[in-house]
């Protein structure tokens, strides 16, 4: 006969069983982020592991003449007059060689995003990058900067990319100044795995690639406005929802 009160150990086991089955993606901050322009959606998003940064992206390998990568990078600059940057590095995992998009307030007060091929630690200069930039814009609100860009990637190229992100505290004469060299700044790098599927099928259902970014989260649900991903997701493991119900029944019978 079931007792009217459950023991603390039974309740703990129930909570642990349910927690193990809930996907980590449910706790991702990026999944709840929206954008000022309506119908801005991305197939994937990730809470990057450092600098309170987030990346949203859609990879389309079927785009012509080259595959495209559409991204939104979000991070607070180190100060209100600072800058944020996101980059792909085709030559290695670090900063040198990074093909960068850097956003900051221009001398007229507008928020701009410019391109930089990082070839030195001592100074940078605006320049073309290895990837064709099909579109780019930036915005600032509530202490956060956002970079939006679409890049054309090489046809038949590598779908595992080195990504680097960074923030700085000042811009001098229209040039981003050097960032801090704290452990968090120095570890702001990772891998972006684009996968081999387009972001959406013809019915508009997300079929995203996988992602991995140096300790960041991964998700397969759409992010941005009109995000239809549910807030509760169950792991597709051998136990599943039925197993949870069985466990609950067993525990409650004591």
């Amino acid at each position: 006969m079931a007792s009217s009160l459950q023991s603390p150990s039974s309740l703990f086991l129930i909570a642990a069983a349910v927690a193990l089955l809930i996907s980590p993606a449910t706790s991702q901050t990026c999944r709840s982020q929206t954008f000022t322009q309506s119908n801005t959606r991305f197939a994937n998003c990730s809470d990057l592991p450092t600098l309170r940064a987030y990346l949203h992206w859609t990879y389309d390998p079927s785009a012509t003449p080259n595959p495209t990568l559409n991204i939104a990078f979000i991070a607070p600059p180190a100060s209100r007059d600072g800058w944020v940057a996101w980059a792909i590095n085709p030559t290695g995992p670090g900063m040198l060689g990074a093909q960068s998009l850097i956003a900051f307030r221009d001398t007229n007060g507008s928020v701009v995003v410019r391109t930089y091929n990082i070839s030195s630690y001592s100074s940078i200069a605006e320049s073309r990058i290895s990837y064709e930039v099909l579109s780019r814009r930036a915005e600032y609100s509530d202490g956060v900067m956002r970079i939006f860009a679409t890049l054309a990637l090489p046809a038949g190229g590598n779908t595992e990319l080195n990504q680097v992100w960074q923030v700085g505290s000042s811009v001098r004469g229209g040039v981003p100044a050097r960032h801090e060299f704290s452990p968090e700044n120095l570890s702001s790098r990772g891998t972006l795995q684009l996968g081999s599927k387009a972001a959406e099928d013809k019915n508009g259902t997300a079929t995203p690639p996988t992602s991995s970014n140096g300790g960041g989260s991964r998700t397969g649900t759409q992010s941005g406005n009109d995000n239809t991903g549910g807030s509760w997701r169950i792991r597709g493991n051998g136990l599943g929802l039925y197993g949870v119900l069985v466990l609950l029944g067993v525990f409650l019978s004591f």
Side-chain angles (χ1 to χ4, degrees), residues 192-251:
L192 183 64
Q193 296 177 349
L194 300 179
S196 59
K197 293 183 179 181
E200 297 188 13
D201 62 24
K202 294 181 180 179
N203 297 319
T205 302
T207 55
T210 60
S211 68
S212 175
N213 30 68
S217 304
R218 63 179 64 187
T219 180
T221 57
Q222 289 182 340
S223 65
N225 301 344
D226 295 332
N227 184 357
T228 57
S231 60
W232 290 90
R233 297 176 59 214
I234 301 298
R235 290 184 191 270
N237 58 23
L239 192 58
L241 180 59
Y242 177 77
V244 173
L245 296 176
V246 171
L247 285 172
L248 289 174
V250 170
F251 290 139

Side-chain angles (χ1 to χ4, degrees), residues 79-224:
S79 73
R80 187 181 183 278
D81 296 321
W83 53 268
V84 304
W86 181 83
I88 298 173
N89 192 334
T91 62
M95 182 62 72
L96 286 182
Q99 307 299 295
S100 305
L101 301 167
I102 304 183
F104 54 89
R105 290 182 182 276
D106 203 358
T107 52
N108 62 8
S110 63
V111 182
V112 297
V113 54
R114 293 178 176 163
T115 57
Y116 298 81
N117 181 351
I118 308 299
S119 58
S120 169
Y121 285 121
S122 59
S123 62
I124 63 172
E126 184 178 4
S127 60
R128 293 176 62 89
I129 61 175
S130 301
Y131 305 98
E132 182 181 2
V133 182
L134 302 178
S135 66
R136 54 177 164 166
R137 65 182 179 88
E139 60 185 34
Y140 178 89
S141 64
D142 301 322
V144 172
M145 267 184 190
R146 302 167 186 86
I147 296 174
F148 299 89
T150 302
L151 306 178
L153 303 183
N158 193 350
T159 56
E160 182 174 290
L161 305 177
N162 298 310
Q163 65 169 337
V164 184
W165 60 96
Q166 197 55 256
V167 301
S169 60
S170 64
V171 178
R172 299 168 187 163
V175 179
R178 183 179 299 185
H179 62 77
E180 296 292 331
F181 282 80
S182 70
E184 189 173 24
N185 292 94
L186 296 176
S187 60
S188 296
R189 62 181 72 179
T191 302
L192 183 64
Q193 296 177 349
L194 300 179
S196 59
K197 293 183 179 181
E200 297 188 13
D201 62 24
K202 294 181 180 179
N203 297 319
T205 302
T207 55
T210 60
S211 68
S212 175
N213 30 68
S217 304
R218 63 179 64 187
T219 180
T221 57
Q222 289 182 340
S223 65

Side-chain angles (χ1 to χ4, degrees), residues 1-4 252-254:
M1 182 176 180
S3 64
S4 58
L252 292 175
S253 66
F254 291 99

